[in-house]
Amino acid sequence: MDEEELSQYLAKSLVVMIIGSNDYLNNYLLPLLYTTSSKYKPKDYADLLISHYTHQILALQRLGLRKFLLAGVGPLGCIPNQLVTGLPLSGKCVSFVNDIVGLFNKQLGSLVNQLNANHSGAIFVYGNTYGVFTDILNNPSHYGFRVTDRGCCGIGRNQGQISCPPLFIPCLTRDQYVFWDAFHPTQAVNEIIAQRAYSGSPSDCYPINVKQMAYV
Ligand SMILES: *[C@@H]1O[C@H](CO)[C@@H](O)[C@H](O)[C@H]1NC(C)=O
């Protein structure tokens, strides 16, 4: 491609950024391994992540990318890995974990507003992973799910600890499970979240959805 073709190609490309979960699960929420949670209050940690994130997003924008889907973090307090901490009442999620990722999502939503206001040649949309995931957990049968608190892959004492290891035999009805393993949603859940980002209402994907962004 020559320079002109490349900038046209970048300008019509979609950038999909889905990051943040591991900054919580594999860092902030592991106080025995990392000092982050003693150095930063939840709000300050969210600010720190968003500040680094902003620089990276703007670097991509300066390269000529113009269409960004920035997905929020899901309700991490509801994943099997957090449920086995013994902190939640039975049948409930770990609310302080959901509260701190909520701070990140709130900041990401306001970043999207700022980016749209400051960079008129580009579009930034916020994918409300948290909202869609919570809807699935609150109405599992509506979506055909039967199991919301255990992974399809994982039993016994490994239930809350592991990603699905090689050679491990998972459950046979993965479409009925919200979680694939202790950390990750199943393909069935990812499909719903992707559909809602693609063609959902502004409460799913804000201010416009990915389909609309693609046509702009
Ligand atoms: C947007 O512009 C305002 C006003 O100049 C500035 O304070 C803010 O940092 C900018 N934000 C982003 C994300 O570009």
Side-chain angles (χ1 to χ4, degrees), residues 14-17 68-72 109 112-113 116 123-132 192-214:
L14 298 181
V15 182
V16 177
M17 301 178 85
F68 293 82
L69 167 62
L70 308 175
V112 160
N113 284 333
N116 282 319
I123 310 176
F124 303 86
V125 305
Y126 170 68
N128 186 7
T129 310
Y130 191 103
V132 177
I192 295 165
I193 294 172
Q195 280 289 349
R196 299 264 287 260
Y198 183 69
S199 56
S201 71
S203 69
D204 293 335
C205 195
Y206 169 88
I208 58 174
N209 61 38
V210 173
K211 185 179 182 184
Q212 293 165 327
M213 178 164 70

Side-chain angles (χ1 to χ4, degrees), residues 166-188:
L167 306 181
F168 199 95
I169 299 174
C171 73
L172 295 175
T173 54
R174 59 183 71 184
D175 284 357
Q176 297 178 5
Y177 280 68
V178 169
F179 293 99
W180 168 243
D181 59 22
F183 299 94
H184 305 101
T186 51
Q187 186 175 322

Side-chain angles (χ1 to χ4, degrees), residues 71-113:
V73 173
L76 300 181
C78 302
I79 70 174
N81 166 260
Q82 293 295 307
L83 297 182
V84 299
T85 57
L87 292 173
L89 301 170
S90 80
K92 295 262 164 57
C93 301
V94 186
S95 56
F96 88 90
V97 172
N98 283 348
D99 291 346
I100 64 176
V101 303
L103 296 170
F104 175 85
N105 287 335
K106 190 160 170 255
Q107 293 288 84
L108 186 57
S110 77
L111 175 62
V112 160
N113 284 333

